[in-house]
Structure formats: structure tokens, C-alpha cells
Amino acid sequence: MRIPYQKEIIQLQFPGISGKQFYKLIKQRVIQWKKFPNPDFSRLDIVYQRISKCNHPISTIDFINSCYIQFQELHSSKNLLSERNQKGLILKIGNRRSSRHYRIYTNQKNNLLRFESEMKGDLIKDFQDLLIASSFDEHQFESKIAYQFFKYSFEIFSSLNQSSHIDWLAARIRPYQYRNAFSSELAIHSDYLNQMDYKLLKEKQHLITLLRLLTYVKKLKYTNKSLTSEFRRYRFPLRDFLNYNNLTPNYYQVKKLKTFFDMVKTNFVIESFSNKHYRMLITIPEVSVYKSEQNILMVEIWIAEKLFNYLHPFLFSDIFQQKLTRQQFQVLFEIIKTYSSIDLRKEFNITQFLDNYPSVLSNQHKRQIKEYFIQYLKVLYQEGKFQDKVLDLSSNKVLPITNLNSSYSQIAVFENIKVQFL
């Protein structure tokens, strides 16, 4: 900040802890800007710190080295510099004298990664006005400067083949991506799933039925009621939901669906999701299946309002509407479970999947399952869910996803997040 004083320019710098304290005083409206005529901010920095677990398969140093190698190809027009200091490595991206400069720091002592964006010049003029006006309400200073940070970070990292340390960025960006062209009524939503071993087929089926139930009821009329939070009450004929699932409304299917609604009340399927806040929701407090006066089996179900707003990161076309074989279902569930992890990099070990398959498989069935994996991965690629490159983990070679075939048993694909920034 430069302050005219006795015909001179005084420059004040607030790095590190002093900068945090100065910003705190601004937020508390302690700083009286009228005492500083024509203040001019020359630079604003925003930082994200990520603490990596010691047993993480990719070290912070390997991440920095991988970024440097890939950035030489992806961002050849940018200045790249890799340095080492007493704490660890530093990767610098862009010219320090330009309006935007980016740095990634490692701290080997505490396994810390710092992602830091430095902005100057015209980029920060609007932020300066908001800061001086102490505009800290929603969608004001902090929201807007964070938006610029995520936007530029995404521009830098979105094409990386090594994305294990930018899960924080993916989680922040996913809710804003443009949806696929297919109708949302034919889409199945999911969220971050616990990467647990679903051994029982019925457990998998119950989880998919829950996701399809949420898709089905969204188009129905409902009433609202406030308890500890907002809930929606739906009523619909059980036969209609069976028809939606392409199931014959016979005694066997009705019984299966009743079992599902009993299971929902125990919240088993909710425990399948990894986000703690999501699991704390009282998502479905009450379900009943009863006969109406017209002797029609009806379902009455209460579903938390927040549940419909929370299922944002992933959107699949509803392949489960087809009549699937047991093997197709198992493969599709495995793909969705793996895809619904936080990391942008999705690893599929088909050999391990076959070894852990719940029943004995012939060689012909094993070949068929491999082909299912390739088929459905390519379907998701065509829907824009995956990038066009695949990493063969056995050879560490990159190949186009269109060249993928059943001879590849250990592969990594990379989530494609489509966001249009303003």
C-alpha cells in the first residue's frame, strides 16, 4: 500500500503472520481508511495449504517433479523454474513481473504442500475497492478473490496426468461444471462413496435403487414440512416405481422393494457415503408402504430437502435402466464406486476385481468382464466424464482412451471436469 506523505511514497509490506493480522484488523473494521488518502494495493496473495498423509503413494516431491515435467509440455509458453530451499522444493510458474504468478511449495518436515497465487496490477483493482469498503458479505471480497484463485489453479492443473494432490481443487470446482446434454430425468446422481468392499450384491442393488429413487421422485409433486430441518413428503404407487425400474410388478419384485424401503430406514445406504456432513443428515426418517382405499400399494416417504441439493459432483446417464446381467451390474457398480472418489485420478485394477469376484469365473466370463469394463469406460468418455488419455499402470505409458482394449488390466483414467469461468 502506497501512501503519499510529505511528497513521498511510503510502501508498507505485510508478509506472513503480520499480513494475516492486518487482514484480520480490516475485517474487524479497525483500520480507518480515511486516514490513508488514495491507498493503492500493489499485490494480493492467496494460498491453499494441503497436508499430505505420510503413507500417501505419491510424495509431495514426486508431485512437484511430475508437475514440472508435464508443465514443460502443457505450459511451454509460461516461465517455469524449479528451486530448492531449506524447507523443500519450489515450483514457480509465470513471470514474477507479470500480473499473475503461481508457486507450489513443499515442506518435507510436515509433508505440506502450499499452492500460492500472486496477483498484481489491474487484476486487483476491483478487490482493492471491496477490501477498502470492508465488503465481506456473501459473494463479496473473499468469494470473488477465491473464485479467481480456483479459476487460475484449474487452468494450470486440469490437464495433469498426476493429480493426486489437487483433490481439494476438484472438490471445489465440481459443483459448478456444466451438465451433460442428456436429460436430467434420465440421469443418476451419486456423491463421494466410501471405497469399501461391497461384498453382497443386494447391498449394491440397494444403493443404486436409492439413487434411482431420488431421480424418480424429483419429478413428482411433494409437500414440505419443517422438523429439525426441511423435509419433502412424497406419495406414489409402488407399482409406478417398479415400472420406472423396468421391473414386473409381481409378488417377488414387490417384496424386494419392501425390503429396500426397510433397509433405507436403517440408513445402511447412507453409510456408504464418505462425507461426514452428508452422513449426519437425517435423510429419510420415515417410510411406509400401505394399501390405499382403492387397494393400491402406496409408498409414503420423507426425504431431507438438503439431500437433493447435495448430490452435485457426479451425474451419470442411467445405464441401470437397461436389463443388466449380474456381471454387467457388478462391473458398472465398480466403475461408479471408483469414479465417485475425490481424486481426479481413477485407478481400475481389473485383475484384482476378477480375483475378488464373489463366484468362480470361467476364462470366457473373465474375458467378457474385461470387455464390459472397457465398454462402460468408453461410454463415460463419450459422455465427457473422462479425459482422452489413459495411463497403463503396468508399463506407465499413456495411450488414447479410444485405443483401450481388454488386454489392459491395470489402468488409470482421469476425470474430465468441464467448467466455463466468467
Side-chain angles (χ1 to χ4, degrees):
M1 181 168 57
R2 294 176 180 176
I3 308 168
Y5 180 70
Q6 294 182 351
K7 298 181 180 182
E8 295 181 0
I9 298 294
I10 296 179
Q11 186 174 48
L12 303 179
Q13 293 185 356
F14 300 94
I17 296 176
S18 62
K20 289 175 66 176
Q21 183 62 29
F22 182 64
Y23 181 63
K24 183 179 178 181
L25 293 174
I26 295 175
K27 288 194 71 173
Q28 294 172 347
R29 293 175 169 82
V30 173
I31 304 296
Q32 298 181 32
W33 293 106
K34 61 184 179 182
K35 294 184 178 181
F36 303 96
N38 303 318
D40 181 22
F41 286 81
S42 60
R43 175 178 145 192
L44 288 174
D45 295 355
I46 185 168
V47 177
Y48 179 85
Q49 290 193 158
R50 184 190 188 281
I51 299 176
S52 301
K53 296 179 180 178
C54 294
N55 59 351
H56 198 286
I58 307 296
S59 70
T60 54
I61 293 178
D62 288 341
F63 172 75
I64 290 280
N65 289 332
S66 177
C67 285
Y68 180 71
I69 293 170
Q70 292 187 62
F71 285 167
Q72 288 179 315
E73 179 181 349
L74 296 170
H75 305 297
S76 56
S77 61
K78 295 184 185 295
N79 292 342
L80 297 174
L81 180 63
S82 181
E83 297 178 345
R84 180 180 290 276
N85 62 13
Q86 294 178 344
K87 294 182 178 179
L89 289 177
I90 306 174
L91 177 59
K92 299 179 179 180
I93 306 164
N95 192 320
R96 188 69 186 272
R97 290 172 292 182
S98 65
S99 60
R100 200 187 291 272
H101 185 64
Y102 205 95
R103 293 180 291 273
I104 313 170
Y105 299 84
T106 64
N107 189 322
Q108 294 173 256
K109 184 177 180 181
N110 52 21
N111 213 24
L112 184 75
L113 269 175
R114 282 171 57 92
F115 299 83
E116 181 176 299
S117 178
E118 177 186 296
M119 294 183 290
K120 305 188 192 77
D122 292 340
L123 276 177
I124 64 172
K125 282 186 177 179
D126 291 339
F127 299 126
Q128 173 181 308
D129 294 340
L130 290 171
L131 198 60
I132 293 173
S134 297
S135 298
F136 296 106
D137 296 332
E138 188 177 2
H139 306 307
Q140 295 299 315
F141 174 75
E142 291 182 352
S143 296
K144 290 185 176 181
I145 197 169
Y147 177 87
Q148 288 296 325
F149 174 70
F150 290 124
K151 175 183 176 181
Y152 192 59
S153 298
F154 185 73
E155 179 184 323
I156 291 172
F157 294 109
S158 59
S159 299
L160 280 185
N161 287 337
Q162 178 53 269
S163 54
S164 58
H165 290 281
I166 55 172
D167 46 10
W168 58 273
L169 177 61
R172 187 65 178 81
I173 293 297
R174 278 188 185 110
Y176 301 103
Q177 63 182 319
Y178 279 66
R179 300 309 193 185
N180 287 345
F182 55 77
S183 169
S184 61
E185 291 186 2
L186 300 176
I188 186 167
H189 299 251
S190 70
D191 211 290
Y192 303 127
L193 298 180
N194 271 328
Q195 301 304 300
M196 63 178 72
D197 182 17
Y198 294 83
K199 294 182 179 179
L200 299 177
L201 181 63
K202 69 176 183 180
E203 294 177 357
K204 299 176 182 179
Q205 289 174 332
H206 284 324
L207 180 57
I208 296 301
T209 303
L210 172 67
L211 299 176
R212 301 202 70 230
L213 171 68
L214 295 172
T215 303
Y216 169 72
V217 298
K218 279 189 74 172
K219 63 182 181 181
L220 302 181
K221 294 181 179 179
Y222 60 90
T223 57
N224 286 98
K225 186 172 183 179
S226 295
L227 300 174
T228 53
S229 58
E230 287 286 325
F231 285 85
R232 296 182 182 184
R233 182 178 70 172
Y234 291 96
R235 285 178 178 166
F236 54 87
L238 185 140
R239 177 188 292 266
D240 288 358
F241 187 50
L242 283 170
N243 289 334
Y244 176 78
N245 284 280
N246 291 323
L247 297 173
T248 305
N250 53 34
Y251 173 80
Y252 172 71
Q253 295 296 348
V254 169
K255 185 178 179 181
K256 276 181 62 177
L257 203 51
K258 284 183 175 180
T259 303
F260 160 73
F261 284 119
D262 288 338
M263 182 70 78
V264 166
K265 286 191 291 187
T266 67
N267 270 351
F268 161 77
V269 284
I270 303 307
E271 292 175 1
S272 302
F273 296 93
S274 60
N275 188 283
K276 291 181 181 178
H277 175 72
Y278 181 96
R279 291 171 62 182
M280 287 171 64
L281 290 172
I282 306 173
T283 51
I284 302 177
E286 187 175 338
V287 185
S288 62
V289 180
Y290 63 95
K291 279 192 177 181
S292 67
E293 294 179 357
Q294 293 77 27
N295 205 31
I296 298 174
L297 274 178
M298 299 291 294
V299 177
E300 180 175 283
I301 185 167
W302 293 81
I303 304 177
E305 178 73 33
K306 289 182 179 179
L307 190 58
F308 293 93
N309 299 325
Y310 200 80
L311 298 169
H312 53 242
F314 311 119
L315 185 64
F316 297 95
S317 58
D318 191 354
I319 305 175
F320 293 93
Q321 278 197 327
Q322 309 170 28
K323 189 172 180 63
L324 302 173
T325 66
R326 181 188 181 99
Q327 291 170 359
Q328 285 175 312
F329 183 93
Q330 296 277 14
V331 169
L332 264 176
F333 188 91
E334 185 67 19
I335 289 175
I336 287 182
K337 187 189 78 169
T338 303
Y339 185 87
S340 302
S341 60
I342 295 175
D343 204 331
L344 285 170
R345 171 173 164 149
K346 321 293 183 181
E347 294 189 6
F348 294 93
N349 191 329
I350 303 174
T351 301
Q352 186 177 12
F353 175 84
L354 293 172
D355 291 341
N356 295 334
Y357 200 82
S359 60
V360 178
L361 295 169
S362 65
N363 289 333
Q364 181 180 353
H365 284 145
K366 289 180 179 180
R367 284 194 300 273
Q368 184 65 70
I369 286 175
K370 286 184 177 182
E371 289 173 3
Y372 286 148
F373 265 103
I374 304 306
Q375 173 191 338
Y376 290 129
L377 288 176
K378 287 184 177 180
V379 167
L380 288 177
Y381 163 67
Q382 291 167 358
E383 290 182 358
K385 289 299 176 182
F386 288 135
Q387 296 178 24
D388 59 356
K389 295 292 189 292
V390 176
L391 180 64
D392 176 21
L393 297 175
S394 59
S395 64
N396 205 33
K397 291 183 179 179
V398 177
L399 67 144
I401 195 170
T402 51
N403 291 357
L404 201 59
N405 58 55
S406 57
S407 65
Y408 296 95
S409 298
Q410 297 181 53
I411 57 176
V413 293
F414 301 90
E415 184 181 348
N416 186 32
I417 299 180
K418 293 183 177 180
V419 182
Q420 288 189 1
F421 291 99
L422 300 176

